[in-house]
Amino acid sequence: MPLNKKIGLFIPCYVDQFYPNVAIATLELLEKLGCQASYPMGQTCCGQPMANAGYERDTVGTTKHFVETFRDYDYIVAPSGSCVLHIKDHAPPIPGMEKEQEILHHKIFELTEFLTDILKVENLQGSFPHKVGFHASCHGHRGLRLGSSSERNEPFFSKAKQLLDQIEGLEWVELTRKDECCGFGGTFAVTEEALSVQMGKDRLQDHLSHGVEILTGGDMSCIMHLEGIAKRNQQPLKFMHIAEILNQALS
Amino acid sequence: MSHPAKASEFLQDAAKAKWHDETLWFVRDKRDTISKTIPEWEQLRDLASQIKDNVLANLDQYLIQFEEKAKANGIQVHWARDAEEHNQIVLGILQRHQCKAIVKSKSILTEECHLNPYLEKNGIEVVDTDLGERIVQFLNQPPSHIVLPAIHLKKKDISELFHEKLHTEKGNEDPAYLTHAARLHLREKFLGAKVAITGVNFGVAETGEFVVCTNEGNADMGVHLAVVHIACMGIEKIIPRRKDLGVFLRLLARSATGQPITNYNSHFRSPASGKEIHIVLVDNGRTDQLGREKFKNSLKCIRCGACMNTCPIYRRSGGYSYGSVVPGPIGSILSPGLDVKKYSTLPFASTLCGSCTDVCPVKINIHEQLYEWRQEITKSQGTNAKSISMKIANGIFAVPFAYKVTGSMMRGALKFLPDSITYSGLNTWGKQRDLPETPKETFKDWYKKNRS
């Protein structure tokens, strides 16, 4: 247990700006689990929006700043699979910092994988009596392998389910298309607006038709997209980041 | 027309779009089920991928070996640098035999080379004999999917089409009835054709033979009745040994349609007495693609179509939205290699969800190549408003203070602007989605107050 390790909290820019409660829940959750987590104040963004739009080469300054901000931590934890994947897979090499970047790639974790793989959380004491539908965000799911992919012939696993199953009263709802994309996809949400919204609507329908009360996931970006559509269409679903559910259950 | 424009057009007919999505999902679901009956499925994918890596690393040698063996077997081998040369070679053979009508079994390569219109322009009747292909040919459309060419059409559409073309009973949508009518019609064409053209699924370097896979037996029907067989093969279709076929045949049909194996896997090795077999080996941009380090393994593709069936974009936008012969995720990484400007929107027609990569039987890292093509495409587009805004963003995110100021300006704007402006036509996000509520403080502000 890395109780005496220094954990740097990496909060994606849009979470900082629009979903401070998700960041607060992440911090409080880590604290409840006995971690020394702190938030480096100088952090900004990982650079993913630019890189996915085809401008990875213009993220050199952003990446360099990221490495400098987090270099002194033992672990870096973020409530976003997508941003973590970006740092690992697509942040451009910074001349002279390659080794540091390599080390950083092994220290950075998405929240649920940090809880299951590093903290090895096995006995969460808490209750959350609701029917919960999990949206497996693609970059975390297939990129970081936070769960088994329905396309592959491999035994079932899900780091999120492993955690949520420990919470008393929480009912995990099975979906028809377990790990289909919601259609967010960063700039895709805007450049392919019609498709993006259609995919989101279909995703919501899968949750609604299985009686989900609260839709959760590990990435606020997908949730922001899905919540935006549900609200516009006045659909009776609540949305919470998995950090919020775990933190609330543990209080 | 760009992919987003065509996709939104496709989505206008909501019922049909839903049906298209569900039909292809059904195929993917079948694939999932049957692939999971093979315990060594993932090892098979690894093996297939490794065999293809070896092929791509030694393509020249395997091709020379194939040519040698094929010639020794009595097959006439031709080489075509591009589509034009391919078409001329095929036409030349037809003219030598004074052939005016051919039957053709499914071949995406001949679509790629636009062989049909070329032959028709030269006075030759071309009849596609795969049922789905024949249907789209009647409609004067290209295939919308490489394995299921007419998947965008419903039974009703086909019933009407057959009524018009084959004089079937009006309103009769019974698949058995319609298929029977097509069968009678195609038999006539088979009997009249002196030359049959097929594609090639696998060329075996070791033996100089090649394999054609169909579910309808139409390749065999055409070839056995004709005097001349012309097989058109992309140079990447080579495999080293006959025994490698076991790996690919197990993967191909399962990935394509969820069948254990394609109904007909026909081996062609040497012409029967008095007959001819020609094989045309086509490059058409393949060696260029082989030279692109980041993109070369797209040439491993065995054209099973699984990435199309699984792609949430393809399922909801249809094959024609891509405007390329090979649509879907694999088409989006192959097509920019042919014309980066024309196909510039395709690598962006993806959320990079990675499903295509996980489903691919030969383990092509499709979604990573989509990402890489984005980087190439923006470079080829030079400086524009988008590239400038990216440079500005990099400047902002590299400096904490700049990020703080920009963030608070944006939040302030969203908080205080009236909805009529926030949800104006300028805000594409807000057309069909609500924006998140603006919280009273950022996490950074909260942290400063509560933790430091």
Side-chain angles (χ1 to χ4, degrees):
Chain A
M1 293 276 277
L3 293 177
N4 49 4
K5 302 275 187 187
K6 240 177 105 185
I7 298 170
L9 199 57
F10 161 36
I11 300 300
C13 49
Y14 69 97
V15 174
D16 173 43
Q17 296 286 329
F18 293 108
Y19 298 101
N21 289 340
V22 172
I24 296 168
T26 308
L27 176 64
E28 288 182 352
L29 178 64
L30 289 169
E31 287 171 345
K32 282 176 193 171
L33 295 169
C35 297
Q36 293 175 16
S38 59
Y39 175 79
M41 293 299 273
Q43 65 180 280
T44 57
C45 166
C46 64
Q48 178 174 215
M50 298 174 275
N52 276 12
Y55 294 89
E56 188 189 290
R57 60 193 174 280
D58 285 334
T59 65
V60 171
T62 307
T63 303
K64 188 162 177 275
H65 176 68
F66 187 94
V67 179
E68 283 165 351
T69 305
F70 284 100
R71 60 166 39 130
D72 294 329
Y73 290 89
D74 298 315
Y75 291 105
I76 305 151
V77 179
S80 161
S82 189
C83 301
V84 170
L85 182 72
H86 170 78
I87 292 293
K88 286 190 178 205
D89 277 13
H90 291 144
I94 309 297
M97 286 180 123
E98 292 89 348
K99 196 152 183 217
E100 240 175 312
Q101 283 182 283
E102 177 64 28
I103 295 167
L104 192 116
H105 295 172
H106 296 290
K107 296 198 299 195
I108 187 165
F109 290 90
E110 183 272 344
L111 177 64
T112 63
E113 71 176 339
F114 184 72
L115 299 184
T116 56
D117 300 358
I118 304 299
L119 290 186
K120 303 201 187 297
V121 167
E122 277 171 358
N123 192 18
L124 289 172
Q125 300 292 323
S127 144
F128 193 79
H130 297 284
K131 291 178 84 168
V132 171
F134 182 72
H135 175 66
S137 290
C138 306
H139 292 184
H141 187 70
R142 296 195 190 83
L144 297 175
R145 301 284 170 206
L146 302 179
S148 50
S149 148
S150 60
E151 296 86 2
R152 304 209 300 181
N153 192 345
E154 62 188 345
F156 173 83
F157 73 97
S158 156
K159 298 192 180 184
K161 187 169 190 289
Q162 202 178 318
L163 295 166
L164 293 174
D165 277 352
Q166 297 174 34
I167 305 292
E168 202 189 300
L170 189 148
E171 192 185 329
W172 171 280
V173 178
E174 283 298 339
L175 303 167
T176 304
R177 299 184 185 182
K178 304 187 229 281
D179 51 10
E180 169 114 316
C181 177
C182 70
F184 171 68
T187 49
F188 179 87
V190 176
T191 55
E192 291 260 16
E193 193 258 353
L195 260 170
S196 170
V197 169
Q198 187 57 49
M199 287 164 70
K201 284 181 177 171
D202 292 348
R203 214 62 217 107
L204 287 168
Q205 199 47 50
D206 201 348
H207 286 264
L208 285 165
S209 64
H210 288 88
V212 167
E213 286 170 57
I214 297 169
L215 188 154
T216 191
D219 260 288
M220 272 325 283
S221 50
C222 306
I223 298 179
M224 171 172 73
H225 161 71
L226 291 169
E227 186 173 18
I229 298 169
K231 271 195 177 167
R232 180 62 60 89
N233 298 303
Q234 292 161 346
Q235 287 170 316
L237 258 179
K238 284 194 183 129
F239 297 82
M240 286 172 88
H241 189 277
I242 190 166
E244 294 179 292
I245 292 188
L246 294 172
N247 187 47
Q248 191 176 314
L250 261 58
S251 60
Chain B
M1 211 174 171
S2 68
H3 186 273
K6 286 193 201 156
S8 85
E9 205 176 273
F10 185 82
L11 287 164
Q12 297 283 307
D13 188 343
K16 192 162 179 183
K18 184 170 189 285
W19 169 82
H20 192 266
D21 167 53
E22 283 172 354
T23 305
L24 289 162
W25 180 263
F26 172 79
V27 183
R28 183 192 134 182
D29 214 31
K30 251 178 93 187
R31 178 224 85 104
D32 290 354
T33 308
I34 196 143
S35 67
K36 287 180 177 63
T37 64
I38 309 285
E40 68 276 23
W41 182 257
E42 297 303 325
Q43 287 94 308
L44 268 182
R45 289 177 70 218
D46 278 330
L47 197 52
S49 171
Q50 287 160 11
I51 294 170
K52 283 285 186 177
D53 278 336
N54 173 290
V55 167
L56 294 182
N58 303 289
L59 189 57
D60 51 345
Q61 288 168 41
Y62 286 127
L63 283 167
I64 291 166
Q65 189 188 3
F66 178 80
E67 181 186 33
E68 233 170 65
K69 298 279 176 184
K71 276 183 175 164
N73 294 336
I75 293 177
Q76 302 183 44
V77 180
H78 311 259
W79 295 86
R81 189 189 312 273
D82 53 24
E84 181 65 26
E85 259 186 41
H86 162 266
N87 293 347
Q88 284 167 2
I89 291 167
V90 174
L91 181 67
I93 300 168
L94 297 179
Q95 285 171 340
R96 273 202 301 285
H97 286 87
Q98 292 167 344
C99 172
K100 284 285 168 203
I102 62 113
V103 286
K104 184 165 131 288
S105 145
K106 190 158 64 195
S107 150
I108 296 301
L109 176 67
T110 60
E111 289 293 331
E112 179 188 317
C113 296
H114 304 290
L115 179 68
N116 286 16
Y118 178 86
L119 292 183
E120 282 158 4
K121 208 174 63 199
N122 283 282
I124 289 165
E125 185 198 3
V126 179
V127 174
D128 278 314
T129 58
D130 172 273
L131 179 56
E133 290 246 320
R134 186 63 180 145
I135 291 167
V136 292
Q137 192 182 28
F138 274 145
L139 288 166
N140 212 11
Q141 289 176 351
S144 76
H145 185 293
I146 60 172
V147 175
L148 313 158
I151 194 69
H152 59 294
L153 298 168
K154 300 183 85 159
K155 265 189 298 193
K156 187 169 164 281
D157 305 324
I158 293 161
S159 167
E160 277 167 26
L161 178 71
F162 277 17
H163 172 66
E164 184 198 324
K165 302 280 182 186
L166 303 177
H167 313 296
T168 54
E169 191 186 0
K170 193 167 176 60
N172 192 335
E173 294 176 19
D174 176 36
Y177 170 74
L178 295 174
T179 314
H180 185 67
R183 181 187 288 250
L184 292 179
H185 157 73
L186 287 171
R187 290 265 152 122
E188 245 174 67
K189 301 293 180 187
F190 281 127
L191 287 167
K194 209 162 141 191
V195 177
I197 297 178
T198 71
V200 170
N201 289 86
F202 304 99
V204 185
E206 171 192 53
T207 58
E209 75 198 68
F210 60 92
V211 176
V212 182
C213 310
T214 71
N215 272 325
E216 298 165 20
N218 54 311
D220 308 72
M221 189 82 84
V223 167
H224 294 316
L225 289 166
V227 182
V228 179
H229 175 185
I230 306 173
C232 305
M233 171 176 156
I235 51 172
E236 83 286 13
K237 290 289 176 84
I238 283 281
I239 57 170
R241 302 159 304 183
R242 186 188 269 166
K243 76 173 190 189
D244 299 324
L245 269 173
V247 174
F248 292 104
L249 293 180
R250 292 181 81 193
L251 286 166
L252 178 65
R254 285 182 173 89
S255 299
T257 56
Q259 293 165 259
I261 195 157
T262 323
N263 291 345
Y264 298 86
N265 298 284
S266 308
H267 296 236
F268 297 97
R269 184 161 182 175
S270 56
S273 149
K275 294 194 177 186
E276 288 176 20
I277 298 180
H278 295 261
I279 188 154
V280 190
L281 296 165
V282 186
D283 184 330
N284 204 33
R286 284 162 177 76
T287 47
D288 290 338
Q289 188 80 338
L290 193 60
R292 297 181 183 108
E293 198 45 48
K294 284 177 181 162
F295 304 111
K296 72 171 184 189
N297 90 3
S298 59
L299 295 171
K300 289 178 180 175
C301 178
I302 56 171
R303 302 289 192 268
C304 69
C307 62
M308 293 161 204
N309 304 337
T310 204
C311 178
I313 315 298
Y314 179 93
R315 275 189 263 115
R316 290 177 183 82
S317 62
Y320 298 142
S321 65
Y322 293 82
S324 68
V325 172
V326 181
I330 183 70
S332 299
I333 60 172
L334 288 171
S335 307
L338 297 172
D339 186 339
V340 76
K341 205 169 164 199
K342 185 173 172 196
Y343 301 112
S344 68
T345 57
L346 299 190
F348 295 89
S350 164
T351 57
L352 307 181
C353 78
S355 185
C356 46
T357 300
D358 275 358
V359 90
C360 178
V362 289
K363 290 196 147 184
I364 302 171
N365 56 338
I366 303 177
H367 76 293
E368 288 171 11
Q369 292 191 36
L370 290 168
Y371 174 89
E372 292 297 344
W373 269 118
R374 293 181 185 189
Q375 315 304 324
E376 298 298 321
I377 285 165
T378 56
K379 274 181 215 161
S380 74
Q381 287 169 339
T383 305
N384 55 29
K386 200 168 142 203
S387 71
I388 293 167
S389 66
M390 292 297 156
K391 284 199 174 30
I392 295 171
N394 186 34
I396 292 169
F397 291 133
V399 182
F401 179 71
Y403 163 72
K404 192 172 177 318
V405 172
T406 323
S408 60
M409 273 164 56
M410 197 170 69
R411 285 160 39 77
L414 280 175
K415 202 164 181 174
F416 298 115
L417 283 176
D419 276 4
S420 58
I421 295 179
T422 308
Y423 289 111
S424 70
L426 295 170
N427 173 11
T428 312
W429 174 275
K431 256 172 83 181
Q432 300 186 70
R433 282 168 288 222
D434 280 8
L435 285 153
E437 279 165 27
T438 317
K440 63 179 193 315
E441 58 184 0
T442 63
F443 175 68
K444 208 182 278 284
D445 295 335
W446 178 91
Y447 191 84
K448 217 182 290 171
K449 273 192 237 159
N450 294 281
R451 286 292 188 279
S452 49

